Amino acid sequence: MAMLDTFDPIDHNLAVPNILVDNKLFQKLIENSYSGITLFDKNLNIIYRSPSAERISGWKREDLSSQSLNDLTHPEDLKIVNQTFDKVMGNPGLPVNATFRTKHAGGHFIWIEAIFTNLLQDADVNGIVCNFKDISAQKNVELALEQSIHELSDYKYALDESAIVAITDHKGIIKHVNNNFCNISRYSREELIGQDHRIINSSYHEKAFIKNIWTTIANGNIWKGELKNKAKDDSYYWVDTTIVPFLNEEGKPYQYVAIRSDITERKDKQKKIVENSRFIKTITDNLPAMMAYWTADLHCSFANKPLLDWFEMQSEQMHGISKQALFGPLEFSSYEPFINEVLKGFPQSFERTFVKEGGKTIYTYTQYLPDRQGNLVKGFYSLIHDITEVKLAERALKKQTEKVEQATSLARIGSWEIDLRKQTVSWSAITKEILHVDSDFEPTLELGISLYKEGKSRDTVLEVIKNAMEHGTPWDEELEVQSPAGITKWIRVIGDAEFVGGVCVRLYGSCQDVNIRKMAELQNQETLIEKNTILESIADAFFAVDKNWVVTYWNRIAEEILGKSRNEMLNSNLWEVFSDSVHSESYKNYMRAMMSQEAVHFEDYYPPLQKWYEISAYPSARGLSVYFKDITERKIHNIELLELNESLRMKAKELAISNAELEQFAYVASHDLQEPLRMVTSFLTQLERKYNDIIDDKGRQYIHFAVDGAKRMRQIILDLLEFSRVGKIEDKLQEVNINVIIEDILALYRKQIQDKRAKIECKDLPVLKAYKTSLRQVFQNLISNSLKYSNAAVHPEIKIKCVDHDSYWEFSVTDNGIGIDAEYFEKIFIIFQRLHNKNEYSGTGMGLAVTKKIVESMGGKIWVESAEGKGSTFYFTILKNL
């Protein structure tokens, strides 16, 4: 209204109307009125202001001289005031109401409720009368109430989206379920309403358990616990449940509200942990080592079967027993130095000898491995290996070596000669002694050859003699002979040839009795063969090196684990082959073992093969023997188990906090917020029942509208709670396989997909780092909308694609549904914005608003391309570096 811009609030030259001067009684009534009165002329100049008007606004008449109506009106209310005066000027004699804010003399704004009446054509008034009163207090209460309702709506929305909610009457008949209840149970709302909870009974819980629930809530107490339910498709799911009874004036329950959260995944993980524990027990019980875990106060919390068998005890007997009580004070004292060190965090290893009943001696090798958690040692693992066979083999080898050395020191050497020209053979006296013949025995050429037993020895003699006579090749051979006395033994024969004029004329040499040494070596070879058989049959990899680090043994398992063949390794320098391991933990420990002549036991990671090994190295006078095994799977499993335990601990903590907050809110949301709505519904129902005879159809229809409005108000509260929850729940940034997410969502909507004969196509969906729960909700909302807003004339077709950009992923969900007109592209992402009648499509218009908030909280954006009747494509982006 243009005239407001030039409005002069006070014209001091204007005369006050006669009606205000002549009628003193009327003037007194006006001046003492609760409401303020202002009189304007046709140009909206103030003719008169009552004292109550000055009291309400705080402005004195003279103070208004510098204030225009625009200055006094709140900027946001100027449009309302202009429209009001336009209506006043166009409707003489009719009162026009307006509520707006005007500036108080104190500088703040107050709310006023004004009634303007155009009496310019009334000769006694000739002005525009404005009656107004200050409604600031009332307005502030209304605004506060609106804010409270908005906040309560947010809470209700969060509850309905985060939990599985059902309301039953006092008999357990279901009166209300939310979408989450329908989704997890696979039943529609229509199938659930009017039923009791036996429809989802899994028969998992005992009758006494169910009876206890009813006893608790029927007495007005809250029940909390975990329930296993059965869905319509016969699948099972677990829920963490809180059932809250609502009591009437008599203290009796008139309805129950059950709030549940899906804990199926957690239960499945717990089941897997139990299965893994059983798997680990199976492995440890079949280990060749005796294994136990000792707490820091030296009590046993775990022992495998070999250890239980050794001590002839049951698991329950071993559990909790102290180490001193198990071994006795004397034996325990020998372990104390090692225990003290391992509890400081230092791994320990040592050998012990035991004599069991019956006199059998057992040799053991023990390892103590600390269980560190940060800087704290919680306990230690004890592994006892039976090395009796190894020890006995080492002792036997040592004895054989001593025998060989003794025989060598007593050896005597004889000589022999064959004169080829004279065809004679001569033996020295020692040679005759070696061959057990008399001193006057005269050997012959034929006898010399016949001494060697048939087979390898004779063939060897004939070959070396031929080479000596033809080429002058000397020889040194150990051969098996049979003396004229019939005694078989091993002798060492050294020979050479003499030539005259290029012709061999003489063969000569020496011989030595090596029978004792040779027999010892053969026996030693048998022992070695037996040892090799053992080393080749054990599950551990094994190799041996001499003092110069030259490999002297390399078994089959070592070939498999380290990828080096026996031919490559034998007689090769270990550190030349594994030059990349110089200065590694293995290198340092092998050197330490060789220098200190003490066994070492440790674990090491070999980067080229990306594997972990458990290694034991035993030094000796000859070099080093090394046993090792691939423990990569165990290490990875331990790491994963620790991460899983930590994750479960954090989830449990978060769940506990969440449950506490949810319990507090559930009481408020379920009672304080929804109680007024329930009362409206209840009293309207009572009104219809009591006055049904006098209420006409129109009245009953109005009652139905009111009840339906209350129900929709409750749904709005729940939807607002879900919207406010977005971005406030901590979600772990992790590797997310979009294909797996889509599979889970399609399983959730399996029945709807089957009913509509929908076809869903996914192409090249990536694995990316994101917030799994939030991303799952985005895809779930978009797929749900595509199914909901499908074209009834065709089967739904949904295509999900992804495009890889440099810094972000771009996803699209395309359908052949009813489509969206371009003018609504922005509106659909605003809360409570619906394009269809609620009877046509269910919901409150929150799904896309929630989706937009999630995408934007992850730094992305969302938009739609669509045409009415031709389907829609929703695009959204996710940053690669969240």
Side-chain angles (χ1 to χ4, degrees):
M1 185 174 178
M3 64 179 65
L4 291 181
D5 295 333
T6 59
F7 167 67
D8 183 3
I10 301 294
D11 188 341
H12 298 283
N13 298 318
L14 293 174
V16 177
N18 292 331
I19 188 173
L20 299 178
V21 176
D22 297 340
N23 195 331
K24 300 298 184 180
L25 176 61
F26 183 68
Q27 183 176 358
K28 288 182 179 181
L29 290 174
I30 291 174
E31 292 178 348
N32 292 282
S33 171
Y34 171 74
S35 302
I37 300 176
T38 300
L39 190 64
F40 299 91
D41 66 8
K42 64 180 180 179
N43 296 318
L44 298 184
N45 295 314
I46 297 177
I47 302 172
Y48 172 78
R49 295 179 77 246
S50 68
S52 55
E54 294 182 352
R55 183 180 67 252
I56 291 171
S57 67
W59 293 102
K60 300 297 183 183
R61 185 180 182 89
E62 57 273 14
D63 295 334
L64 289 174
S65 60
S66 62
Q67 300 289 333
S68 69
L69 189 58
N70 281 350
D71 294 335
L72 294 175
T73 303
H74 194 284
E76 295 179 2
D77 297 339
L78 284 173
K79 184 177 180 180
I80 296 174
V81 174
N82 282 324
Q83 291 174 346
T84 299
F85 276 107
D86 285 341
K87 190 173 182 179
V88 168
M89 298 304 291
N91 296 277
L94 296 178
V96 179
N97 296 340
T99 301
F100 57 93
R101 286 165 286 183
T102 185
K103 184 181 289 185
H104 191 274
H108 61 279
F109 285 93
I110 62 173
W111 283 91
I112 63 171
E113 184 178 73
I115 301 175
F116 295 93
T117 307
N118 183 351
L119 298 177
L120 291 171
Q121 297 181 9
D122 188 322
D124 293 328
V125 180
N126 191 23
I128 300 173
V129 179
C130 173
N131 291 276
F132 67 93
K133 61 181 179 180
D134 184 355
I135 63 168
S136 296
Q138 174 187 342
K139 195 67 177 178
N140 289 336
V141 170
E142 290 177 357
L143 292 174
L145 181 59
E146 289 178 4
Q147 179 64 24
S148 297
I149 292 175
H150 179 73
E151 291 176 354
L152 294 178
S153 297
D154 288 346
Y155 296 151
K156 184 261 182 189
Y157 174 77
L159 175 64
D160 205 30
E161 287 298 324
S162 64
I164 303 161
V165 181
I167 300 176
T168 68
D169 62 14
H170 68 285
K171 294 181 179 179
I173 302 302
I174 299 173
K175 302 191 299 182
H176 167 80
V177 292
N178 69 348
N179 289 337
N180 289 337
F181 194 109
C182 296
N183 291 339
I184 197 170
S185 71
R186 307 290 196 272
Y187 287 101
S188 66
R189 186 171 278 103
E190 292 74 19
E191 290 175 308
L192 292 167
I193 301 299
Q195 300 287 335
D196 60 28
H197 277 77
R198 283 179 293 186
I199 193 174
I200 56 171
N201 185 9
S202 66
S203 300
Y204 174 82
H205 302 284
E206 299 289 342
K207 291 183 178 180
F209 178 83
I210 303 299
K211 182 178 180 181
N212 175 62
I213 297 176
W214 275 106
T215 302
T216 301
I217 61 177
N219 289 329
N221 298 316
I222 295 174
W223 183 88
K224 299 177 182 179
E226 296 179 351
L227 291 170
K228 183 177 182 180
N229 292 334
K230 183 178 181 181
K232 184 178 180 180
D233 62 0
D234 292 334
S235 63
Y236 294 94
Y237 60 93
W238 280 90
V239 287
D240 193 346
T241 305
T242 300
I243 303 177
V244 182
F246 286 77
L247 309 180
N248 57 22
E249 294 79 1
E250 299 175 354
K252 301 293 185 181
Y254 64 86
Q255 72 175 16
Y256 302 105
V257 176
I259 302 173
R260 303 171 174 87
S261 59
D262 186 357
I263 59 171
T264 307
E265 183 177 358
R266 188 189 78 193
K267 280 290 188 178
D268 290 342
K269 287 181 179 179
Q270 289 175 348
K271 182 179 179 181
K272 289 181 180 178
I273 289 174
V274 172
E275 292 174 350
N276 289 341
S277 298
R278 189 180 300 112
F279 175 72
I280 291 172
K281 184 179 185 303
T282 301
I283 292 176
T284 56
D285 283 348
N286 288 279
L287 286 175
M290 293 175 280
M291 184 177 180
Y293 182 87
W294 299 93
T295 60
D297 60 354
L298 302 184
H299 285 80
C300 180
S301 63
F302 167 78
N304 71 346
K305 188 176 184 301
L307 188 67
L308 294 174
D309 292 343
W310 174 273
F311 287 99
E312 298 180 352
M313 296 178 69
Q314 298 297 319
S315 179
E316 56 271 16
Q317 294 174 292
M318 183 68 73
H319 188 79
I321 194 172
S322 70
K323 198 169 182 67
Q324 186 172 16
L326 181 64
F327 288 94
L330 183 62
E331 183 68 21
F332 175 77
S333 63
S334 65
Y335 297 130
E336 277 193 295
F338 303 106
I339 293 172
N340 293 335
E341 289 301 308
V342 75
L343 290 179
K344 294 177 184 177
F346 303 108
Q348 300 295 302
S349 59
F350 53 90
E351 293 184 1
R352 294 285 294 168
T353 303
F354 297 94
V355 179
K356 296 201 72 175
E357 293 182 8
K360 183 179 180 181
T361 301
I362 305 296
Y363 300 93
T364 64
Y365 169 74
T366 301
Q367 293 175 278
Y368 286 167
L369 304 176
D371 177 20
R372 298 187 187 92
Q373 293 188 14
N375 296 325
L376 182 66
V377 178
K378 303 286 288 185
F380 64 93
Y381 297 93
S382 168
L383 289 92
I384 304 173
H385 306 267
D386 186 344
I387 59 171
T388 304
E389 291 185 5
V390 176
K391 280 292 185 181
L392 293 178
E394 289 178 352
R395 291 190 176 188
L397 181 61
K398 183 178 180 182
K399 288 181 179 180
Q400 294 296 337
T401 303
E402 290 175 351
K403 289 181 180 179
V404 170
E405 291 174 352
Q406 182 180 10
T408 303
S409 65
L410 298 175
R412 301 176 67 199
I413 300 174
S415 62
W416 58 271
E417 177 181 309
I418 301 175
D419 189 333
L420 296 177
R421 289 177 296 187
K422 297 180 180 180
Q423 294 291 301
T424 60
V425 177
S426 62
W427 291 349
S428 69
I430 294 177
T431 300
K432 291 178 180 181
E433 289 179 10
I434 291 173
L435 294 175
H436 302 280
V437 296
D438 297 334
S439 59
D440 57 350
F441 181 80
E442 293 294 330
T444 64
L445 185 59
E446 292 78 9
L447 177 62
I449 299 299
S450 66
L451 289 174
Y452 299 95
K453 297 183 66 176
E454 292 292 332
K456 182 178 178 181
S457 292
R458 177 168 292 187
D459 292 340
T460 301
V461 168
L462 295 174
E463 183 68 22
V464 299
I465 290 176
K466 178 182 178 182
N467 289 334
M469 293 176 64
E470 293 179 358
H471 308 292
T473 306
W475 73 89
D476 186 347
E477 298 286 345
E478 291 183 353
L479 304 167
E480 191 175 20
V481 302
Q482 188 173 30
S483 72
I487 298 174
T488 300
K489 65 188 317 182
W490 285 85
I491 63 172
R492 178 187 180 189
V493 180
I494 299 175
D496 205 349
E498 179 183 355
F499 287 80
V500 175
V503 178
C504 181
V505 298
R506 186 168 72 101
L507 298 173
Y508 64 93
S510 64
C511 65
Q512 183 181 11
D513 187 345
V514 295
N515 192 63
I516 296 176
R517 177 176 62 81
K518 192 66 175 180
M519 295 303 294
E521 286 180 357
L522 291 175
Q523 186 176 353
N524 189 36
Q525 286 180 5
E526 291 178 0
T527 302
L528 288 175
I529 291 172
E530 182 179 357
K531 181 181 178 180
N532 291 347
T533 302
I534 294 173
L535 292 175
E536 291 297 329
S537 63
I538 62 175
D540 291 354
F542 173 83
F543 69 85
V545 294
D546 64 17
K547 287 186 173 295
N548 296 317
W549 302 101
V550 174
V551 177
T552 59
Y553 195 90
W554 193 264
N555 78 346
R556 176 181 55 82
I557 304 300
E559 288 182 311
E560 295 176 1
I561 290 182
L562 293 179
K564 300 291 184 181
S565 69
R566 187 175 318 203
N567 291 336
E568 287 180 273
M569 296 307 302
L570 290 180
N571 301 317
S572 298
N573 185 283
L574 181 67
W575 303 121
E576 289 178 0
V577 177
F578 292 99
S579 58
D580 55 358
S581 294
V582 174
H583 306 306
S584 66
E585 284 298 313
S586 294
Y587 179 89
K588 295 174 184 177
N589 280 288
Y590 292 163
M591 289 293 182
R592 180 163 63 88
M594 195 81 89
M595 294 291 293
S596 65
Q597 285 296 293
E598 293 182 355
V600 294
H601 309 277
F602 59 96
E603 294 179 356
D604 195 11
Y605 179 73
Y606 187 46
L609 296 179
Q610 297 183 340
K611 289 184 178 295
W612 279 91
Y613 299 103
E614 183 182 79
I615 305 169
S616 298
Y618 301 90
S620 68
R622 296 179 300 279
L624 196 67
S625 298
V626 180
Y627 296 83
F628 63 99
K629 63 178 65 176
D630 186 345
I631 60 169
T632 305
E633 290 185 4
R634 188 187 79 192
K635 292 290 288 189
I636 293 175
H637 176 75
N638 288 344
I639 292 170
E640 291 176 345
L641 191 59
L642 289 174
E643 291 176 347
L644 178 59
N645 288 338
E646 179 63 18
S647 175
L648 289 175
R649 187 184 69 79
M650 293 301 297
K651 290 296 183 183
K653 182 178 179 181
E654 293 171 2
L655 186 59
I657 296 173
S658 175
N659 284 343
E661 294 174 347
L662 188 60
E663 289 172 7
Q664 181 180 3
F665 171 73
Y667 178 80
V668 175
S670 300
H671 187 275
D672 294 348
L673 305 188
Q674 300 180 46
E675 182 63 17
L677 298 176
R678 187 196 66 78
M679 289 180 63
V680 169
T681 305
S682 176
F683 281 111
L684 286 171
T685 304
Q686 293 293 333
L687 180 65
E688 181 182 24
R689 182 182 300 113
K690 187 172 182 179
Y691 300 103
N692 185 59
D693 296 334
I694 60 176
I695 298 176
D696 58 11
D697 291 340
K698 198 69 174 178
R700 281 189 288 271
Q701 185 180 21
Y702 290 158
I703 291 174
H704 171 74
F705 289 158
V707 173
D708 183 65
K711 290 180 179 178
R712 285 188 285 112
M713 179 61 184
R714 182 178 181 279
Q715 186 61 44
I716 290 171
I717 291 173
L718 297 176
D719 290 341
L720 282 171
L721 287 174
E722 167 62 15
F723 185 78
S724 66
R725 179 174 174 268
V726 174
K728 294 182 180 179
I729 296 178
E730 294 185 0
D731 196 3
K732 180 181 179 183
L733 194 63
Q734 58 183 300
E735 294 289 333
V736 179
N737 189 328
I738 303 301
N739 296 288
V740 174
I741 285 183
I742 299 302
E743 289 176 3
D744 292 343
I745 295 172
L746 297 185
L748 180 65
Y749 293 112
R750 184 190 309 161
K751 185 177 186 303
Q752 192 173 351
I753 292 171
Q754 292 175 347
D755 291 344
K756 293 192 174 187
R757 297 173 65 184
K759 179 181 179 182
I760 291 87
E761 179 181 345
C762 305
K763 285 189 176 180
D764 302 323
L765 301 182
V767 176
L768 53 91
K769 181 165 282 189
Y771 298 100
K772 181 177 180 180
T773 302
S774 299
L775 197 55
R776 185 186 190 280
Q777 189 168 4
V778 170
F779 279 104
Q780 182 171 330
N781 287 350
L782 294 178
I783 293 172
S784 174
N785 276 2
S786 294
L787 292 170
K788 179 191 295 184
Y789 299 107
S790 59
N791 191 328
V794 296
H795 300 310
E797 291 184 3
I798 303 171
K799 297 181 180 179
I800 304 169
K801 298 180 181 179
C802 179
V803 179
D804 186 357
H805 296 277
D806 290 340
S807 60
Y808 63 92
W809 300 97
E810 181 184 293
F811 292 91
S812 63
V813 179
T814 303
D815 62 54
N816 61 343
I818 61 175
I820 306 168
D821 193 279
E823 68 175 299
Y824 300 111
F825 283 359
E826 295 297 328
K827 181 179 179 181
I828 60 175
F829 294 104
I830 302 173
I831 60 173
F832 299 129
Q833 296 300 307
R834 295 173 48 84
L835 306 184
H836 306 279
N837 187 283
K838 66 182 179 66
N839 295 324
E840 193 174 358
Y841 294 97
S842 63
T844 57
M846 289 295 295
L848 289 177
V850 171
T851 301
K852 182 175 184 289
K853 191 171 182 182
I854 292 174
V855 170
E856 291 178 348
S857 70
M858 292 192 290
K861 60 180 181 179
I862 186 169
W863 69 97
V864 64
E865 294 178 3
S866 181
E868 193 167 6
K870 297 183 179 180
S872 305
T873 299
F874 283 85
Y875 298 88
F876 68 93
T877 62
I878 299 296
L879 292 177
K880 289 186 176 179
N881 295 318
L882 288 177

